[in-house]
Amino acid sequence: MSSTSIDDLLSFEEERPAPVERSRGGRAGRVLRPLAGVGAVVVVLVAALRAVGLQVSLPVLVAGVVALFLVRRVVAALAPPPPPRSGRRVPAAADDDGTWNWGARDALRAAINGWERPLDWAARDRKRFAERILPRIGELADERLRQRHGLTRESDPERARALLGERLWTFLSTPSRRPPSPRDLAAIVAELEKI
């Protein structure tokens, strides 16, 4: 039994490409580059302040610049990803013609695709079905049992078997020799929804 929850199964996170790491100078470069930036900003600020006739304590000035650099780095790390760039214009509410926009990215479509792709991949491969799909269906069954009856297949097998029914219990507990047909899978999902 894996520890994936139903929220993990139905959530969608778009995979981001891995950032390209440039190792210019290694660890020393990662330390010296920000220090050089802080030094350059401090020198410019000291020159500008002296040009207008002001004097500020050097440690206070360095601490302020370091704090600004740290805030900038934290904000950059916590910034949300940029919105996807699509060549199409998103219609405004006034432009809505009442038809469904199948190209739009919504949570329902993402959840459907999260099941559709693995089901398609496992349609002909029994091993892949047993490794990828069957555990997900089992987790859904356990979550339904937990939410509606306060038990799981592992905590109270006898009662879970009675609630699931013999067909669904057998499907979840004994891997079949072939992946179920779409009709069989629809019947199993219907039984799962009755829980």
Side-chain angles (χ1 to χ4, degrees), residues 35-159:
L35 287 178
V38 167
V41 171
V42 168
V43 167
V44 169
L45 284 176
V46 167
L49 289 174
R50 292 231 170 119
V52 294
L54 295 175
Q55 286 189 339
V56 178
S57 171
L58 189 60
V60 170
L61 193 61
V62 170
V65 171
V66 168
L68 286 175
F69 270 64
L70 288 176
V71 166
R72 181 175 171 253
R73 181 164 287 195
V74 168
V75 168
L78 297 177
R85 293 182 181 160
S86 63
R88 293 190 348 218
R89 182 179 72 90
V90 178
D95 297 342
D96 190 9
D97 62 356
T99 61
W100 179 256
N101 181 6
W102 290 102
R105 307 270 306 171
D106 64 352
L108 180 60
R109 172 60 50 191
I112 290 170
N113 287 343
W115 278 91
E116 185 178 36
R117 287 186 190 114
L119 282 170
D120 187 41
W121 293 336
R124 292 165 297 281
D125 187 0
R126 180 189 62 83
K127 183 179 176 189
R128 185 178 285 241
F129 182 84
E131 290 175 353
R132 301 276 171 98
I133 305 302
L134 197 57
R136 284 183 169 185
I137 295 173
E139 289 169 3
L140 285 173
D142 282 339
E143 189 66 19
R144 299 275 298 198
L145 287 170
R146 186 191 64 76
Q147 287 179 348
R148 310 253 172 145
H149 304 284
L151 61 110
T152 62
R153 291 179 295 154
E154 191 174 287
S155 68
D156 191 357
E158 293 82 22
R159 188 162 171 230

Side-chain angles (χ1 to χ4, degrees), residues 15-35:
E15 293 182 19
R16 295 185 204 156
V20 177
E21 293 287 330
R22 296 181 188 154
S23 58
R24 293 184 291 180
R27 180 180 282 183
R30 281 184 280 164
V31 173
L32 292 178
R33 199 171 303 117
L35 287 178

